[in-house]
């Protein structure tokens, strides 16, 4: 295991635990697809990714508050700029990919053009911990460190509603545009769900915090991620909870459904950095990708599902091109 630029010192807890797991497993990783592109030292630590709607541009952001745009498929850098004072916790392309919305732990939302020029900035009452939204629906939702979920209108980022839902920070939010349904999870272990004009209600609590949330494409299921497991809530009454074991050996940090709803892309951290495609119904691995050297933080599938991008504490951004996928090694 070779770490770039002394990252083992900067991320000692993540690295140390992951190394122990590898040693316990005999250092025998299963065959996995290597990435087509590895962008080393893209960020201090990678935190968020977003693909353009046309799937020809990838945006990445990190703990240092910088946004970088990469032209696909070769991932040549287009531009980069300092967007926030501190880590960035949300990215969303707008206006036919001509604008980019970013959300920061500095408690601001900002809209930029493709050259990194600021178009609009909206201060918020508390540091932003997660963002989801739909330009077609004209809405974006943010989770905050004060336990509040806030909804904003696009494109002007005017406040729409505010929901004080969690004791402690919000961990994740998601929005399903077709059903106008929102979801949030918090450090209090609660998962809440509501429609645009209805009060939030609590789902059956999972056996651990849900660190990321994703609606199934048809809006009929909400999935959350935790330590080693996925949590599934069918949203038709009665609302029950199914816990799916996975082969991840750590906290599943980021998830995303494929367009057909049959698979879920996942990346984990503490105590591994595995990148997998899982069967959405069973949690079984359907395809493996080469892990990061350090704890994984975020992943995204491109809208056309040609690309999978991941980032992690090892400071890199990795991209798999499904049209040129390298055989497992």
């Amino acid at each position: 295991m070779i770490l770039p630029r002394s990252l083992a010192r900067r991320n000692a807890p993540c690295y140390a635990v992951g190394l122990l797991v590898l040693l316990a497993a005999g250092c025998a990783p299963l065959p996995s697809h290597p990435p087509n592109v590895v962008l080393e030292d893209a960020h201090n630590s990678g935190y968020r990714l977003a693909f353009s709607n046309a799937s020809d541009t990838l945006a990445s952001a990190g703990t240092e508050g910088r946004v970088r745009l990469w032209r696909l498929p070769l991932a040549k850098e287009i531009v980069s700029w300092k967007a926030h004072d501190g880590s960035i916790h949300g990215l969303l392309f707008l206006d036919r990919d001509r604008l980019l919305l970013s959300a920061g732990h500095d408690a601001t939302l900002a809209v930029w053009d493709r050259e990194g020029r600021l178009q609009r900035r909206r201060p918020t009452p508390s540091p932003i911990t997660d963002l989801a939204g739909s330009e077609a629906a004209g809405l974006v939702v943010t989770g905050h460190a004060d336990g509040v979920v806030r909804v904003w209108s696009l494109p002007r980022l005017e406040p729409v509603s505010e929901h004080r839902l969690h004791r402690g920070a919000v961990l994740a939010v998601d929005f399903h545009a077709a059903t106008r349904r929102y979801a949030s999870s918090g450090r209090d272990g609660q998962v809440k769900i509501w429609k645009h004009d209805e009060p939030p209600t609590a789902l059956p609590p999972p056996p651990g915090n849900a660190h990321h949330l994703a609606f199934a494409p048809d809006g009929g299921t909400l999935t959350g991620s935790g330590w080693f497991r996925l949590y599934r809530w069918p949203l038709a009454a009665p609302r029950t909870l199914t816990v799916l074991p996975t082969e991840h050996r750590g906290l599943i940090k980021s998830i995303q459904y494929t367009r057909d709803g049959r698979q879920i892309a996942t990346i984990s951290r503490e105590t591994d950095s595995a990148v997998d495609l899982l069967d959405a119904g069973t949690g079984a691995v359907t395809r493996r990708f080469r892990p990061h050297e350090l704890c994984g933080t975020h992943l995204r599938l491109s809208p056309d599902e040609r690309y999978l991008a991941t980032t992690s504490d090892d400071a890199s951004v990795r991209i798999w091109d499904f049209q040129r996928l390298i055989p497992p090694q």
Side-chain angles (χ1 to χ4, degrees), residues 21 209 211 224-231 243-253 266 268-272 278 282-283:
V21 171
N209 288 339
H211 286 260
S225 66
W227 282 90
F228 322 114
R229 299 168 291 189
L230 296 177
Y231 311 129
V243 178
L244 299 179
T246 75
E247 295 183 28
H248 283 286
R249 297 192 296 268
L251 170 63
I252 303 172
K253 185 63 176 176
T266 60
S268 56
R269 64 182 291 113
E270 301 166 347
T271 57
D272 71 357
L278 307 181
T282 67

Side-chain angles (χ1 to χ4, degrees), residues 50 90-94 99-102 131-135 139-140 154:
L91 293 170
L92 181 67
F93 277 93
L94 302 173
L99 300 175
L100 182 70
L101 171 65
S102 63
L131 174 145
S134 165
E135 185 175 23
L139 295 168
V140 65
L154 294 172

